[in-house]
Amino acid sequence: MVKQIAFPDKFWWGAASSGPQSEGDFNKAHQNVMDYWYQESPTEFFNQVGPKLASDFFEKYRDDLRLMKQIGFNSFRTSIQWSRLIKDLETGEPDLNAIDYYNGLIDAAKKNGIELVLNLHHFDLPVELLQKYGGWESKKVVELFVKYAQTALELFGDKVNYWTTFNEPMVIPEAGYLYGFHYPKYVGKGKEAMQVIYNINLASARVIQLYKQMKLKGQIGIILNLTPAYPRSNSLEDLAASEIVDALFNRSFLDPAVKGSFPKNLVELLEKDGVLWQGTKEELAIIQANTVDFLGVNYYHPKRVKAPGKEAKYSAWMPDKYFEEWQMPNCRMNVYRGWEIYPKAVYDIAMNVKKNYGNIPWFISENGMGVEGEERFIDEDGRIQDDYRINFYKEHLAWLAKAIDEGSNCFGYHTWTAFDCWSWNNAYKNRYGLIAVDLENQKRTIKKSGYWYKKVSDHNGFTYDLDYEIK
Ligand code: GAL
């Protein structure tokens, strides 16, 4: 199938990264939970590589932004680190060194004509706030987050047009409280996870409220990982399971962010089970009144869901009593990451946002493919021939273009990621970049996909020439 795939004018082409995954921990005022986790248990990280140096973006951001421009970026997201910007976590007083760094970064983006999106939280809570107050389980931490955000917005709010409150907030309760794959690595703390969901929604709404009160001229949104929940079959049991998964893993943030309220079926279920979060009428009114201007959607893989088996896996309350995930036989997999590849979900997400969320302006804020051992694909000129990545992007973009043709209000596409960076405990196992980073010497080399991306950005589209059908 050969077809021209075209995107609207002013479409965003770029990528996302985050402070903790790219900068290295130079000059940081505090440790975040990831820095601390590595310090305590380095063996839990792939090849024992931690966040100390990461991709040295702290030193190299000027060159890196130039490279991003060279591969066609007109926009780029990264995050401010709470643990870097704030010297005094109780008062929100900033660290002077950090102010210089962020001002330098903002200027460098401007110089290269790159629209910067600044995110305020990318899984990187200062660890002291976990130890002292219990982290996101605590409303005190919500207060302190608002202070941090106020400092950030007072310093940089008029220089940056696009802000986001959180990246993938659902990962914080999911990975930290339900299944234990991120620090604090609790497993089976279902009730606490529900409080974390509520508190982060409140924190996000409070920062949106602040942004509006400050009358800043830009826009503020949130970045959500949406994982469409597809039922195994049309049986009532499987359908019920997929609805609960959707309510918990997608709508628990999507609904408050866009509509100002929590999904009714989720609230009822949690109430019935005696695990509903503690909240007040005043807080709910803040959530109701302060919704996002735009939405960022990270999409990597769908969730395949079926009715739960009979056996209870956990002693305390867990949402898993209502569902089980399963792997479809013969589905396409990214074997390095263990994630299903299902490009059509991009279209399904777009149509869901159009139909059920007022067609709010949104963009794909992360999409990408991590591959292990990419040195295998280096050619005689030293360039990684990552055709698999190009094909992955083509398929996802083709579904996105179809959704836009059908009226979806999508304004951009960001890959994960610009240059190879650190991925939590997977460290540098899988590489995602359009630009390779050699960990021996931090040398950057544009991959084949980077050159391809430049052409896509220049033409605002590409020729679709794969067998994979977009129907
Ligand atoms: C996302 C996350 C990123 C990055 C990516 C690839 O879920 O937002 O920070 O780690 O996964 O692993």
Side-chain angles (χ1 to χ4, degrees), residues 82-93:
W82 190 348
S83 54
R84 181 187 291 291
L85 180 63
I86 303 299
K87 188 160 106 192
D88 184 334
L89 296 169
E90 300 290 330
T91 63
E93 183 197 336

Side-chain angles (χ1 to χ4, degrees), residues 18 21 122-123 167-168 171 298 300 337 339 366 416 422-424 432:
S18 79
Q21 292 174 275
H122 200 118
F123 312 159
N167 175 75
E168 302 193 348
V171 170
N298 294 356
Y300 290 91
R337 189 60 183 79
W339 280 343
E366 286 180 27
W416 184 269
W422 187 75
S423 272
W424 325 114
Y432 289 83

Side-chain angles (χ1 to χ4, degrees), residues 223-445:
I223 306 287
L224 301 181
N225 50 316
L226 297 185
T227 47
Y230 299 106
R232 172 184 56 180
S233 75
N234 282 334
S235 76
L236 289 180
E237 293 77 13
D238 286 346
L239 286 171
S242 75
E243 256 175 47
I244 290 173
V245 167
D246 188 40
L248 180 62
F249 291 94
N250 298 318
R251 296 179 53 209
S252 63
F253 284 97
L254 182 57
D255 283 28
V258 180
K259 298 177 175 173
S261 58
F262 289 95
K264 202 161 157 258
N265 61 345
L266 181 65
V267 172
E268 281 170 4
L269 179 147
L270 299 179
E271 214 156 28
K272 173 175 78 81
D273 286 358
V275 292
L276 187 64
W277 43 68
Q278 299 290 316
T280 65
K281 269 202 182 119
E282 293 73 29
E283 289 166 353
L284 288 173
I286 292 174
I287 292 172
Q288 181 68 58
N290 295 285
T291 54
V292 294
D293 298 324
F294 70 95
L295 186 68
V297 175
N298 294 356
Y299 172 71
Y300 290 91
H301 60 88
K303 270 192 200 289
R304 303 281 174 189
V305 182
K306 63 177 184 176
K310 295 265 172 304
E311 238 169 89
K313 283 199 234 127
Y314 301 95
S315 50
W317 182 88
M318 279 286 278
D320 302 59
K321 67 192 255 202
Y322 294 106
F323 64 85
E324 237 173 66
E325 287 193 45
W326 71 296
Q327 192 176 317
M328 259 204 332
N330 306 321
C331 67
R332 287 170 65 196
M333 291 291 289
N334 170 353
V335 290
Y336 312 102
R337 189 60 183 79
W339 280 343
E340 183 183 339
I341 298 178
Y342 186 63
K344 178 173 180 279
V346 166
Y347 173 82
D348 293 341
I349 290 170
M351 290 298 123
N352 181 31
V353 170
K354 180 176 174 212
K355 195 165 141 225
N356 301 313
Y357 295 88
N359 209 11
I360 185 168
W362 72 287
F363 75 118
I364 292 272
S365 41
E366 286 180 27
N367 179 224
M369 186 179 181
V371 170
E372 191 173 354
E374 283 202 307
E375 351 29 275
R376 279 174 295 160
F377 304 106
I378 296 182
D379 67 7
E380 55 286 0
D381 300 324
R383 184 179 310 155
I384 293 175
Q385 297 289 325
D386 52 346
D387 294 87
Y388 42 87
R389 179 168 291 112
I390 296 174
N391 293 344
F392 178 97
Y393 287 144
K394 279 184 180 171
E395 291 178 359
H396 287 80
L397 278 166
W399 280 109
L400 184 61
K402 176 175 159 67
I404 295 171
D405 281 348
E406 293 177 24
S408 169
N409 204 1
C410 176
F411 62 84
Y413 181 82
H414 280 182
T415 70
W416 184 269
T417 181
F419 48 91
D420 291 340
C421 70
W422 187 75
S423 272
W424 325 114
N425 55 326
N426 265 337
Y428 281 89
K429 173 178 172 286
N430 299 317
R431 303 304 180 94
Y432 289 83
L434 296 162
I435 300 167
V437 173
D438 184 336
L439 289 189
E440 298 283 305
N441 53 20
Q442 290 288 331
K443 188 169 173 278
R444 274 65 167 150
T445 312

Side-chain angles (χ1 to χ4, degrees), residues 5-61:
I5 306 284
F7 290 87
D9 282 352
K10 302 204 175 111
F11 202 68
W12 276 7
W13 295 104
S17 187
S18 79
Q21 292 174 275
S22 63
E23 285 166 4
D25 70 355
F26 310 99
N27 301 346
K28 263 178 45 166
H30 300 270
Q31 277 193 322
N32 65 40
V33 284
M34 301 292 174
D35 301 326
Y36 180 77
W37 178 16
Y38 180 73
Q39 179 193 289
E40 295 300 296
S41 332
T43 52
E44 291 179 26
F45 294 73
F46 186 78
N47 283 345
Q48 300 204 33
V49 174
K52 247 194 142 23
L53 176 61
S55 300
D56 199 14
F57 188 63
F58 185 80
E59 298 290 344
K60 296 198 162 32
Y61 67 85

